[in-house]
Amino acid sequence: MRNVSLIFLLVLIVITVGVLLVGQRLDARWAGGSGGIEPCQATLVYGDTVVGRGQIMSTSADDYAEYELCDGTHLYLDQNTQLRLSYYRNPAAQTETQLELIQGRVIVDGLASIKARNLIAQVKGSACEFVHYSWRDELDVTPLATDACKIKTPAFTPTASLTSRFNTFDGSLISTNSFDPSTSAAKSFYEWTGLRP
């Protein structure tokens, strides 16, 4: 009888510890965690579309779109652009919203990380433009202000008002060119955003 009580007590302790470990792993409040992460969805500024984690923001060949994240970050999408909201912002873990640029041109004005294949960039509060040429495996990065963004892989900080072109597979810098929105093929997009480099 004593052995049965001891076995029962050990099983109860193992189950309790297991449940607490699972709760802690899931960051549950009852296990000492901070609870679930508040979703930082993207909302279309001039419409009622709300984009959640894993969903794609996109534009057609004849329109632009502006989305706003819950932290005030604005996303300006040019024509024929696809941008996936991969992960929500988590202030407790000090991580920003993760976006994946599938193709096209986007200006990120705020805080976010942008990924194009193997290349990851971080926008640090000011506007930064990204143009992903998916068929050529290249990404153009143009900070519209000093220290607006930096490339995380490889470590590189592009210069304001210069466009740096990277290979999206190995992260190598291909070229650096001057940036002038008034002579760009996307001039009407820059005028639509109202942002001035």
Side-chain angles (χ1 to χ4, degrees):
M1 184 76 167
R2 184 169 182 213
N3 287 340
V4 172
S5 298
L6 185 59
I7 291 173
F8 178 74
L9 183 61
L10 287 173
V11 168
L12 186 62
I13 289 172
V14 167
I15 289 173
T16 303
V17 169
V19 167
L20 287 173
L21 286 174
V22 169
Q24 192 174 32
R25 177 74 172 135
L26 296 175
D27 206 23
R29 289 186 198 276
W30 54 265
S34 61
I37 299 169
E38 281 294 316
C40 189
Q41 300 171 327
T43 305
L44 186 64
V45 172
Y46 303 106
D48 57 359
T49 303
V50 177
V51 176
R53 182 176 177 202
Q55 294 180 320
I56 295 175
M57 296 166 265
S58 63
T59 54
S60 66
D62 58 354
D63 69 343
Y64 308 123
E66 178 183 357
Y67 286 85
E68 183 176 8
L69 300 176
C70 65
D71 63 359
T73 297
H74 284 260
L75 311 171
Y76 301 91
L77 281 66
D78 195 2
Q79 300 168 339
N80 292 321
T81 298
Q82 293 180 322
L83 183 68
R84 177 180 289 122
L85 177 56
S86 297
Y87 298 104
Y88 293 131
R89 181 173 186 261
N90 183 1
Q94 298 179 344
T95 58
E96 303 304 340
T97 303
Q98 306 288 309
L99 304 166
E100 181 184 350
L101 182 56
I102 298 167
Q103 71 173 12
R105 178 187 318 266
V106 64
I107 295 177
V108 179
D109 189 11
L111 299 170
S113 290
I114 306 293
K115 180 179 181 184
R117 290 204 176 88
N118 297 326
L119 196 68
I120 300 172
Q122 183 177 14
V123 182
K124 304 188 296 183
S126 297
C128 195
E129 177 192 51
F130 302 91
V131 183
H132 187 198
Y133 304 100
S134 57
W135 64 96
R136 292 189 336 206
D137 306 320
E138 294 175 352
L139 178 73
D140 284 355
V141 179
T142 309
L144 302 182
T146 303
D147 295 329
C149 55
K150 69 177 185 175
I151 306 299
K152 292 170 71 174
T153 52
F156 180 80
T157 302
T159 305
S161 298
L162 289 178
T163 299
S164 301
R165 180 167 290 176
F166 296 90
N167 181 296
T168 57
F169 283 111
D170 62 14
S172 61
L173 179 64
I174 297 171
S175 65
T176 302
N177 299 305
S178 61
F179 172 72
D180 183 3
S182 63
T183 60
S184 171
K187 178 182 175 183
S188 59
F189 171 68
Y190 298 120
E191 291 172 349
W192 174 82
T193 65
L195 299 173
R196 300 286 175 244

